[in-house]
Amino acid sequence: MKKRFEYEFALKEYKKLYRYIKEKGFRCDASGSLRRKKGDVGDIDFVIEGPEKMVLEIIALYSQIEKPINKYEFMLKSGICIHAIPENSSKYTFTLWHSTGPKSHVKFIEKIYAEKGIEIIEENIREDEIYSKIGIEYIKPEERYKLQEVENDQDRKI
């Protein structure tokens, strides 16, 4: 079983990484369970805007890296893993939404799009637009686990 870390610990590690990435001139946002503010976090997922090769080279040079795990994942000296998700600027927000999850939430929203016969736009879209295009109010990352409530609300609107 994968080791879990307290949210506050993961957030502290992410903030250090965030400062490093910003100093290098890149846009970066936490995603996954850290962005959803879960009580425990398995790893630090983050989206970085920029060319994949350049982004991964910058991450590999981060002084807190203990070792690479694979192309996109690295173990920090503190023991927590980081998972870099490089993305271009036009798909940045969609990728941030998608990688924030949870998977069941993303699948639920994609299902509504499919049922309405609408294609989900991945380029140049704001997160709130992902929801408004299917008639749902924006759902904050930390509330996206409440799928049952969203499903019930959606059933009432249909």
Side-chain angles (χ1 to χ4, degrees):
M1 188 169 146
K2 193 175 187 179
K3 185 174 180 183
R4 308 293 294 177
F5 297 85
E6 289 184 21
Y7 169 80
E8 290 301 325
F9 172 79
L11 182 61
K12 184 177 134 194
E13 290 296 315
Y14 169 72
K15 285 180 178 180
K16 290 190 278 187
L17 176 65
Y18 175 84
R19 282 191 296 275
Y20 168 77
I21 292 168
K22 287 303 238 183
E23 286 171 4
K24 300 295 181 190
F26 291 88
R27 178 181 175 194
C28 170
D29 286 289
S31 68
S33 56
L34 185 64
R35 185 165 184 241
R36 293 193 320 269
K37 299 180 182 174
K38 276 193 71 183
D40 64 340
V41 175
D43 63 1
I44 299 170
D45 298 305
F46 59 99
V47 180
I48 302 177
E49 182 179 6
E52 181 176 300
K53 185 177 183 201
M54 188 182 296
V55 164
L56 295 175
E57 286 173 359
I58 294 294
I59 298 303
L61 294 172
Y62 181 49
S63 67
Q64 296 303 304
I65 299 287
E66 182 175 303
K67 65 180 180 180
I69 295 173
N70 61 42
K71 185 175 181 178
Y72 301 102
E73 295 179 314
F74 304 83
M75 176 68 70
L76 295 181
K77 292 175 182 175
S78 66
I80 194 167
C81 245
I82 59 172
H83 176 210
I85 307 166
E87 188 56 86
N88 66 49
S89 60
S90 68
K91 290 188 175 184
Y92 186 90
T93 302
F94 174 81
T95 300
L96 180 62
W97 170 77
H98 194 273
S99 63
T100 294
K103 288 177 187 164
S104 57
H105 177 79
V106 171
K107 285 180 180 181
F108 174 70
I109 297 301
E110 288 172 340
K111 178 182 167 203
I112 295 172
Y113 267 85
E115 287 171 355
K116 292 183 177 253
I118 303 171
E119 188 175 328
I120 199 163
I121 297 170
E122 294 185 14
E123 293 191 355
N124 302 315
I125 190 165
R126 294 185 326 263
E127 256 186 309
D128 64 319
E129 289 178 305
I130 291 169
Y131 297 94
S132 67
K133 289 191 179 293
I134 54 172
I136 295 177
E137 274 188 48
Y138 174 74
I139 302 171
K140 294 177 190 175
E142 59 271 23
E143 296 175 357
R144 292 179 187 172
Y145 67 91
K146 299 178 181 178
L147 268 181
Q148 192 60 45
E149 292 173 30
V150 174
E151 287 177 301
N152 292 341
D153 288 345
Q154 186 62 26
D155 288 343
R156 280 185 229 121
K157 290 178 184 176
I158 294 178

